[in-house]
Amino acid sequence: MNGYYYSVNDYYKELFGHKVYKISLNAGMSCPNRDGRIGTGGCIFCSEGGSGDFASSSLLSVKNQIDYGIEKISKKYAGDSYIAYFQAFTNTYAPVDRLKKIFTEAIQDNRICGLSIATRPDCLEDDKIELLAELNRIKPVWIELGLQTINETTARYIRRGYPLAVFEDAVARLNAVDIPVVVHVIVGLPGENANDNLACAKYLSHLNINGVKIQLLHILKNTDLADDYYSSKFKELSLAEYVKTVVDMIEILPPHFVIHRVTGDGPKNLLIAPTWSADKKMFLIIYPMNSRTEIHTKERNTDMAVEAAILYKLMTLYMLNKVDFSLTNATIMDFFTNNGYTDYPTVLTIISNLQEDELINVSVTSSNTSYSITPKGKEMLDFFGSKISDDIKNEIDSFLRDNRYELKQTANTTADYYKTTNGDYAVHCIVKENNAPLIELTLAVPDEGLAESMCNKWKTECQNIYEYTFKTLM
C-alpha cells in the first residue's frame, strides 16, 4: 500500500518480488469501431494511434519492439523484468491463430514476466478466451477492458459501440477461467459530472475484477471530440475538479482493487486540453495532499506519518513563500526541531522530496545550503495552504518576524570558492541589499584551506570590510 490506494507498483512487487515496468507494444490490430463492422470513426476521443501513441511501430517484430521499449526506459530502470503491454487499438480483434503467434512470441521472451492485453469486451469470443487461459497458465495475463462509462447515453455519444450487458458478459467469462480483468474508465466525459463517476465506481465495486485504470479525458487533435470542444459543447475539467473526483472514486472502490492508473499522458504534440495534464507529475504530487489519508491504509500510525509529512511540506513552502530571500537549511531545521514538530532526518527527507518534486530551488555554496520556492511550489501552496492551521501559520510568521534581520543578513551575505584553471583558488564574496550587490569581491588565494577560512570569516567581517572600502574610496 502506498498510503492512499493499492497501487499497481505495490501489486507487482507483491506478485513478482521486485519492480516491474510495462513496455507498450503494437500488434498491428484494427478495431470494429473503425473498419466498418460497428462504425468507421472510432470512439469520439480516440487518436489516430488507437490510444497506443506511445507504442512502437507495428512494422517491427514483437521481439524488436521489446528491445526498443527496453532501450527507451533503460535510463530509469536497470531491472530485467517487463510486462508486454499490447496497447494500440483492439488487441483481440484478429483470428485466433494470429493472436496465438503474436502473444506466444512475447510470452516466450525470457525478459517478459507477463502480458497485459487491451481490448473490447465484444471482441472476446470463446476461442480467444480459451487461448488467453492457455497463456495465463504459462505467465500471468491481464485483460484490460475499455468500459469508459456506465452511462448508456454517454456511451452512445462517445460511440463506444456496445451495451453494458456485453461488458458484464465478458467479465463473467474471463472470471470463469481466472483471468484478471482491469477496467478502464474516463473522468471528464461530456455530459457527465462527478456523480456519474462515483456511480461508475460503485458499480465496479460489485464486480470480480483485479482493478481499475482511471483516465482523464484528453482532447486530442484530429478527433471528433476536438471538434465538439472547439464548438464549446463542453468544458474540460480543472486540476482541482479532477483530483477531487479521483479521490472520491478511490474511496468508494474496495481496498483490494489495484489502482493501475490515476491519470495518464496525452501525447504532447496532439494534446489540446486540459493543458495542465501535460504536467502529469503535478497531479501525482497534489493527489496525496488532497486525499483523506486514511484511505485504504492498514494502520493508523501509517496514516498519521503520511499526514504529518504532507503538513511539513506545506509548512516549508509557506515559510519560503513568506520571505523575499532564500532560507538556509539550518533555518528550516531550527524552526521544525526547536518548536517540537519533528526531527532532523525527517526534515532532510521533506526538503529532499520538495526538491525532487520541483517545488523548491536549492542553492549550494561552501558555507551553506539555501532554498527558495518555485512557481510550481506557489501553485501547490495556493491549492492546499488552507490545510495549515492558523495557529501554525502564526507560529511561522512570528518566527520569521522575530528573526527577519538575521535571516535576511544570512541570505544576503554569501561566500564561496572554486579552483581556477591556474591551480589556485578564487574566493567570491558578496553582500546584497534589495537583491542587488552592495559589495562583491573575488580574491585569488594559493590554497583551499585559506579559501575556506576566508569564506567562514566573511559573514562576521563583511560589514567592517564594506565600511573600510567605502571610507577609503570616498
Side-chain angles (χ1 to χ4, degrees):
M1 298 282 175
N2 70 1
Y4 311 105
Y5 51 82
Y6 188 17
S7 74
V8 69
N9 283 337
D10 289 336
Y11 170 63
Y12 287 154
K13 286 178 183 176
E14 289 179 7
L15 185 64
F16 298 110
H18 50 76
K19 188 175 181 66
V20 173
Y21 264 86
K22 273 186 171 181
I23 297 174
S24 294
L25 304 179
N26 188 337
M29 304 290 175
S30 182
C31 174
N33 215 0
R34 288 176 179 261
D35 68 1
R37 180 179 140 189
I38 294 174
T40 56
C43 292
I44 195 170
F45 52 78
C46 200
S47 69
E48 294 177 356
S51 298
D53 300 285
F54 297 104
S56 304
S57 169
S58 61
L59 297 177
L60 296 174
S61 69
V62 170
K63 180 185 181 303
N64 286 340
Q65 288 189 54
I66 292 170
D67 292 340
Y68 175 73
I70 291 174
E71 176 63 26
K72 279 178 65 176
I73 63 175
S74 60
K75 292 182 179 179
K76 61 181 178 180
Y77 177 61
D80 58 358
S81 188
Y82 306 86
I83 290 174
Y85 179 26
F86 291 91
Q87 182 179 19
F89 298 103
T90 303
N91 288 284
T92 57
Y93 190 49
V96 72
D97 288 344
R98 181 185 172 198
L99 296 179
K100 184 172 184 178
K101 180 178 183 299
I102 292 169
F103 296 150
T104 300
E105 184 179 354
I107 210 166
Q108 287 182 344
D109 192 305
N110 291 333
R111 299 165 296 180
I112 298 301
C113 61
L115 305 184
S116 197
I117 301 170
T119 191
R120 295 170 55 93
D122 55 354
C123 294
L124 285 169
E125 295 85 349
D126 288 344
D127 58 344
K128 295 174 184 176
I129 288 186
E130 185 178 338
L131 168 64
L132 296 172
E134 179 184 327
L135 295 169
N136 193 42
R137 288 190 287 270
I138 301 171
K139 291 178 183 177
V141 174
W142 294 264
I143 294 298
E144 303 193 15
L145 296 179
L147 174 64
Q148 320 310 0
T149 179
I150 62 168
N151 185 312
E152 295 287 17
T153 300
T154 306
R156 286 190 291 273
Y157 167 73
I158 65 174
R159 304 195 296 255
R160 189 179 66 188
Y162 64 84
L164 194 58
V166 171
F167 167 79
E168 292 172 346
D169 176 67
V171 171
R173 289 187 296 118
L174 289 166
N175 287 166
V177 293
D178 296 322
I179 295 177
V181 177
V182 181
V183 180
H184 291 216
V185 296
I186 295 178
V187 173
L189 288 168
E192 294 198 347
N193 56 34
N195 290 333
D196 294 287
N197 302 129
L198 300 186
C200 184
K202 290 175 184 175
Y203 167 80
L204 294 175
S205 298
H206 299 292
L207 299 181
N208 180 20
I209 60 176
N210 169 266
V212 180
K213 270 189 176 179
I214 303 173
Q215 170 70 51
L216 169 69
L217 178 71
H218 287 126
I219 302 152
L220 304 178
K221 296 176 183 177
N222 306 317
T223 62
D224 291 340
L225 183 68
D227 294 338
D228 284 357
Y229 176 73
Y230 284 131
S231 299
S232 302
K233 292 183 179 180
F234 69 98
K235 291 183 178 180
E236 76 272 24
L237 289 183
S238 68
L239 174 58
E241 290 171 326
Y242 183 69
V243 171
K244 184 178 187 309
T245 300
V246 172
V247 168
D248 291 343
M249 289 177 70
I250 290 178
E251 282 193 313
I252 291 170
L253 296 171
H256 68 274
F257 272 25
V258 181
I259 307 302
H260 287 256
R261 178 188 290 163
V262 289
T263 186
D265 300 284
K268 290 183 173 59
N269 62 322
L270 299 178
L271 182 66
I272 297 171
T275 54
W276 59 260
S277 68
D279 187 359
K280 179 180 175 181
K281 192 173 183 180
M282 177 61 85
F283 173 86
L284 299 177
I285 298 167
I286 285 178
Y287 180 92
M289 293 187 176
N290 201 66
S291 65
R292 270 68 74 189
T293 56
E294 71 272 19
I295 298 174
H296 300 173
T297 51
K298 293 180 177 179
E299 299 179 9
R300 180 60 187 162
N301 62 347
T302 301
D303 305 334
M304 293 176 67
V306 170
E307 189 172 0
I310 291 170
L311 177 60
Y312 298 155
K313 289 179 182 180
L314 291 171
M315 288 168 64
T316 303
L317 293 176
Y318 181 83
M319 290 178 70
L320 295 173
N321 195 52
K322 291 291 288 186
V323 295
D324 57 358
F325 49 86
S326 58
L327 295 178
T328 65
N329 191 66
T331 298
I332 298 171
M333 291 287 180
D334 285 347
F335 174 80
F336 279 101
T337 57
N338 292 344
N339 288 289
Y341 282 104
T342 188
D343 54 21
Y344 184 86
T346 300
V347 180
L348 281 179
T349 301
I350 295 301
I351 290 174
S352 176
N353 290 342
L354 291 171
Q355 285 180 246
E356 290 173 4
D357 293 336
E358 299 174 357
L359 301 179
I360 62 175
N361 288 320
V362 59
S363 176
V364 181
T365 69
S366 61
S367 54
N368 64 40
T369 302
S370 58
Y371 306 95
S372 58
I373 192 168
T374 65
K376 188 181 288 187
K378 289 178 181 286
E379 184 179 356
M380 186 69 64
L381 196 61
D382 288 341
F383 270 113
F384 301 112
S386 60
K387 289 183 176 287
I388 309 172
S389 70
D390 289 340
D391 287 342
I392 292 177
K393 287 180 180 178
N394 290 337
E395 190 169 22
I396 294 173
D397 292 345
S398 177
F399 171 81
L400 295 174
R401 184 175 56 251
D402 293 346
N403 297 281
R404 184 174 182 82
Y405 176 79
E406 291 81 2
L407 295 178
K408 193 167 186 178
Q409 186 76 1
T410 299
N412 288 338
T413 306
T414 60
D416 199 9
Y417 66 87
Y418 56 89
K419 193 170 186 177
T420 70
T421 55
N422 296 329
D424 56 7
Y425 289 82
V427 179
H428 183 229
C429 305
I430 187 169
V431 175
K432 292 182 180 179
E433 188 171 88
N434 298 324
N435 291 322
L438 188 64
I439 182 172
E440 188 170 3
L441 301 174
T442 301
L443 304 171
V445 296
D447 60 75
E448 185 175 9
L450 182 56
E452 186 173 357
S453 176
M454 292 176 70
C455 287
N456 292 336
K457 289 182 179 179
W458 178 247
K459 287 189 182 297
T460 57
E461 299 297 331
C462 62
Q463 186 172 354
N464 293 332
I465 293 171
Y466 173 74
E467 289 177 356
Y468 174 80
T469 305
F470 186 82
K471 290 177 181 178
T472 301
L473 297 177
M474 279 183 64

